[in-house]
Amino acid sequence: MSVSCHLVTADGSGRIPPVSESGSADANLDAILATAEHDRERLNSNALGAFSLTLLGVASVVGAGIFVVTGDAAAHYAGPAVLISFVLAGIVAGLTALCYAELASMIPAAGSTYSYAFAAFGPFVGWFIGWDLLLEYLFAASTVAVGWSGYFVSLMDSIGIHIPHALAAPPLGDNPGIVNLPAIAVMLLTSAALWLGTRESAVANNSMVLLKLTILVLVVVVGVFYITSSNLEPFLPASTGGFGDFGWTGILRGAGIVFFAYIGFDAVSTAAAEARNPKRTVPIGLIGTVLIATVIYVAVGFVLTGMLNYRQLGVADPIAAALQAGGNDLDWLLKLTDIAAVVGLASTVLVTLYGQTRIFMRMSEDGMLPPAFGKVSGRTKTPQFSIILCGIVGGAVAGLVPLSILGELISIGTLLAFIIVSSGVVMLRRRRPDLPRPFRVPALPLVAGTAIVASLALMATLPGDTWIRLGVWAALGLSVYFLYARKHSAAKMEAVLARAQAEGG
């Protein structure tokens, strides 16, 4: 497969700088731009438009959070003022999305955060964040699969089909079983959909997301008529003394809690190689995802806190609790929300697995992983080995590991990725001002600085055990880097740049 690409070097001469093992900064970026063109030639580069990209992001963001996080933040931290918490979290997520949008418009590569880190900081940081993204994507898919299993078991019970606890719970945790079979099943089914092709899986995702959004809109439209004004008073409960226990500090603490509901919007940027006109459509998908998610979260939060006193929303399924408070008249809507949860969480698993397989593919093309990870089927135009591996490993994790451990790992991994992206957009703006940027972050220092500080603050709230697990994970990743990735990546970058220079003249 040939690569047709004109390289623009930092000095404008067209000469390719040498690549050392540590990597020349400009050579790394030039190589990534060349391989981005190569990806578009071997993948289905017109599979996703702006609409599908936005729904891809919405599938990832409007997932488990809308069915759990809203009630938890309202009951324990912010009361009805959780609406303000969602707006604040949406602003922070939006600032990060702006940084992603500029990098995606400049570097339309499938690797997302990994490729941006490689371009801005070199192969070492690129590998580190690529390894870290395993926590965000593969483990996140497993986490959502575990959540999906709970809703699926409940839905089956409601129609008279009982799934034994031993076959729907992992062998670890407070209430162990043998294995979580439903979680494994949804991982394998979504992997099969990805195997068939990007366009086909996009059609399935779009259908599931539209069904989920339709039911959530119904919850809002119908629920408005069951709002009791007394439930919204006081809108901001008084502080009980501790930081985050209602009052304005409760709103801030609530914003930190609900921010994790926005995790996943960056999955849009992993689709750059399969998007039509990615320099335009990927930024639209990123920003559109955050805007739509914020509107949905605020609307649902308003209805829930209006239908049921906020103190009663701290349950596993706050939407169901609010609808039950509306009486038997809302039984039909209660059943629909169960369907929305099952369908919606399946779409989240699909999109999250999609992002991980494309990151594996991109890392393989850069020499960071063995060639099998980057091999693309000529028939389906999908990285089939990566899809199979993610389905098997993700399914095993979902079937055996409890939800609580997975959730904390995902949070710290994602926030670290956000910090790297926000720093990278500043670095590349200074180092490579020559590269075209169809989308530019306005007031970049303020936007990127706020995103970095907010992410660091949220990381600081995570338990010490989570930091220890991150350290262990990083140590394992570093051993792989020095034993394999460093040498192979340097050689691959040299080969890509030499080929691109020869073919581009």
Side-chain angles (χ1 to χ4, degrees):
M1 182 70 70
S2 65
V3 179
S4 298
C5 178
H6 176 67
L7 297 177
V8 181
T9 56
D11 62 4
S13 66
R15 292 180 288 105
I16 304 298
V19 182
S20 65
E21 269 198 10
S22 60
S24 161
D26 291 318
N28 290 329
L29 180 52
D30 290 333
I32 289 170
L33 293 173
T35 52
E37 290 294 324
H38 177 47
D39 283 344
R40 294 190 64 78
E41 290 182 6
R42 66 200 186 108
L43 297 169
N44 188 347
S45 59
N46 290 308
L48 304 169
F51 178 75
S52 291
L53 287 169
T54 302
L55 290 189
L56 186 148
V58 170
S60 187
V61 174
V62 185
I66 194 108
F67 298 102
V68 178
V69 171
T70 304
D72 181 54
H76 300 118
Y77 305 110
V82 70
L83 309 185
I84 301 176
S85 297
F86 273 118
V87 172
L88 292 177
I91 290 172
V92 174
L95 295 177
T96 309
L98 290 174
C99 296
Y100 270 94
E102 175 167 326
L103 291 173
S105 72
M106 182 175 66
I107 309 171
S112 182
T113 311
Y114 156 75
S115 292
Y116 308 152
F118 198 130
F121 302 107
F124 179 80
V125 176
W127 165 263
F128 182 80
I129 205 66
W131 185 254
D132 170 76
L133 286 174
L134 273 171
L135 299 179
E136 179 181 354
Y137 283 96
L138 186 56
F139 284 6
S142 300
T143 301
V144 177
V146 174
W148 179 90
S149 174
Y151 279 100
F152 179 76
V153 170
S154 176
L155 182 62
M156 290 297 100
D157 276 341
S158 71
I159 61 175
I161 301 174
H162 176 68
I163 299 175
H165 174 77
L167 299 180
L172 305 173
D174 296 332
N175 190 14
I178 297 174
V179 66
N180 194 334
L181 282 182
I184 295 175
V186 74
M187 290 291 290
L188 296 179
L189 287 172
T190 50
S191 297
L194 291 175
W195 171 286
L196 295 176
T198 301
R199 192 184 300 275
E200 292 76 10
S201 54
V203 170
N205 178 66
N206 292 351
S207 302
M208 290 189 287
V209 173
L210 289 174
L211 176 60
K212 172 172 62 177
L213 294 182
T214 299
I215 294 173
L216 289 174
V217 169
L218 269 176
V219 170
V220 172
V221 171
V222 174
V224 164
F225 294 98
Y226 291 82
I227 287 177
T228 301
S229 59
S230 61
N231 287 332
L232 298 171
E233 299 172 357
F235 181 73
L236 177 57
S239 173
T240 59
F243 180 87
D245 297 329
F246 303 109
W248 283 102
T249 61
I251 290 177
L252 295 177
R253 182 70 177 273
I257 297 297
V258 303
F259 178 79
F260 298 119
Y262 288 88
I263 287 174
F265 69 82
D266 52 314
V268 175
S269 59
T270 66
E274 293 159 285
R276 292 192 294 273
N277 189 13
K279 294 184 177 182
R280 173 180 175 273
T281 56
V282 172
I284 290 173
L286 286 164
I287 297 169
T289 292
V290 174
L291 290 175
I292 291 171
T294 302
V295 170
I296 292 172
Y297 277 121
V298 169
V300 171
F302 172 69
V303 167
L304 295 190
T305 53
M307 293 182 69
L308 187 64
N309 187 280
Y310 66 90
R311 296 179 184 86
Q312 298 174 270
L313 288 172
V315 294
D317 190 353
I319 293 182
L323 293 178
Q324 286 167 357
N328 294 334
D329 290 345
L330 296 183
D331 284 349
W332 64 275
L333 188 54
L334 186 60
K335 289 184 174 61
L336 285 180
T337 59
D338 286 340
I339 295 172
V342 170
V343 172
L345 294 180
S347 71
T348 303
V349 175
L350 176 71
V351 169
T352 310
L353 276 179
Y354 169 85
Q356 182 61 68
T357 60
R358 271 50 183 183
I359 291 170
F360 272 158
M361 180 193 74
R362 179 71 270 129
M363 292 178 73
S364 174
E365 283 298 289
D366 293 339
M368 294 287 194
L369 293 172
F373 286 86
K375 187 176 181 180
V376 172
S377 166
R379 182 175 62 85
T380 64
K381 295 186 179 297
T382 58
Q384 292 186 339
F385 175 81
S386 290
I387 291 172
I388 293 171
L389 183 68
C390 287
I392 293 173
V393 174
V397 172
L400 302 175
V401 181
L403 192 64
S404 57
I405 294 176
L406 290 172
E408 291 172 358
L409 282 171
I410 294 161
S411 297
I412 198 167
T414 303
L415 288 167
L416 182 58
F418 286 176
I419 291 170
I420 292 295
V421 166
S422 300
S423 304
V425 72
V426 175
M427 174 72 74
L428 290 175
R429 184 80 73 88
R430 292 178 178 176
R431 203 182 74 223
R432 292 298 299 264
D434 57 300
L435 288 177
R437 289 170 170 81
F439 179 88
R440 296 176 68 90
V441 179
L444 177 62
L446 176 62
V447 169
T450 303
I452 292 169
V453 170
S455 296
L456 285 171
L458 292 174
M459 289 179 73
T461 67
L462 294 172
D465 288 349
T466 303
W467 285 90
I468 294 173
R469 293 187 188 108
L470 178 65
V472 172
W473 182 255
L476 180 60
L478 289 177
S479 65
V480 177
Y481 175 76
F482 286 108
L483 290 173
Y484 181 90
R486 182 174 65 167
K487 178 180 178 181
H488 289 81
S489 177
K492 192 64 178 280
M493 293 297 99
E494 290 274 15
V496 167
L497 288 171
R499 181 175 60 184
Q501 185 180 44
E503 295 179 357

